Amino acid sequence: MRIGVSLPENLLNRFDGIISQRGYSSRSEGIRDAIRGYIRYYDWMSDVKGERYGAISLTYNHHQRGLADELADIEHEYIGTIQSTLHVHIDKDNCFELIVVHGEGIKIKELTERLTSLKGVEHTKLTTIVPEL
Ligand code: NI
């Protein structure tokens, strides 16, 4: 099937840079791979349950209207899950945040998905480990 997608120019430029470095024969092949990776990540996320330690990393543009307040509101809702937050200013506009979490995996995943869906949040990644007995 053919689909049409609109993307910000800088995102497309970065994507094209990566697919040319990696030797993809076409942009379509790179996009198919990216979609497969997205689906794999979502499937892996669905398996996050039970007690976990983890880290959610995200980048965002702090000029996005209302975003800093929304992030703070959500983080305060998850006081029992969030152990610590590290904030790094990347440049004039962008911030990196590392949120250390401990608790029920389902809740950690729910927090990650809420952060991911916020407008202005550009990248999120969740990693978790199962505590060894
Ligand atoms: Ni910052």
Side-chain angles (χ1 to χ4, degrees), residues 5 7 10 37 44 49 67 76 86 88 94 96 101 128 132:
V5 182
L7 296 169
N10 66 337
W44 173 83
K49 45 179 95 101
L67 179 58
H76 281 259
L86 175 76
V88 177
N94 298 293
F96 170 79
V101 291
T128 71
E132 290 297 316

Side-chain angles (χ1 to χ4, degrees), residues 41 43-57 81 98-112 125-132:
Y41 181 65
D43 285 346
W44 173 83
M45 284 270 284
S46 305
D47 286 338
V48 177
K49 45 179 95 101
E51 188 191 4
R52 299 290 179 122
Y53 284 86
I56 305 164
S57 45
T81 304
L98 179 69
I99 303 169
V100 177
V101 291
H102 172 224
E104 168 53 50
I106 290 167
K107 200 144 191 212
I108 292 170
K109 196 179 71 180
E110 175 193 284
L111 168 62
T112 308
K125 186 91 180 171
L126 168 68
T127 54
T128 71
I129 57 165
V130 179
E132 290 297 316

Side-chain angles (χ1 to χ4, degrees), residues 62-126:
H62 79 259
H63 296 299
Q64 178 69 45
R65 185 175 293 276
L67 179 58
D69 279 348
E70 269 184 294
L71 278 171
D73 283 346
I74 292 172
E75 290 180 20
H76 281 259
E77 266 183 62
Y78 288 83
I79 284 170
T81 304
I82 297 176
Q83 306 288 300
S84 183
T85 303
L86 175 76
H87 187 104
V88 177
H89 308 300
I90 297 173
D91 57 30
K92 196 165 64 58
D93 307 312
N94 298 293
C95 302
F96 170 79
E97 215 160 273
L98 179 69
I99 303 169
V100 177
V101 291
H102 172 224
E104 168 53 50
I106 290 167
K107 200 144 191 212
I108 292 170
K109 196 179 71 180
E110 175 193 284
L111 168 62
T112 308
E113 281 170 356
R114 285 186 64 186
L115 296 170
T116 305
S117 63
L118 290 174
K119 192 169 174 15
V121 171
E122 276 144 22
H123 175 82
T124 51
K125 186 91 180 171
L126 168 68

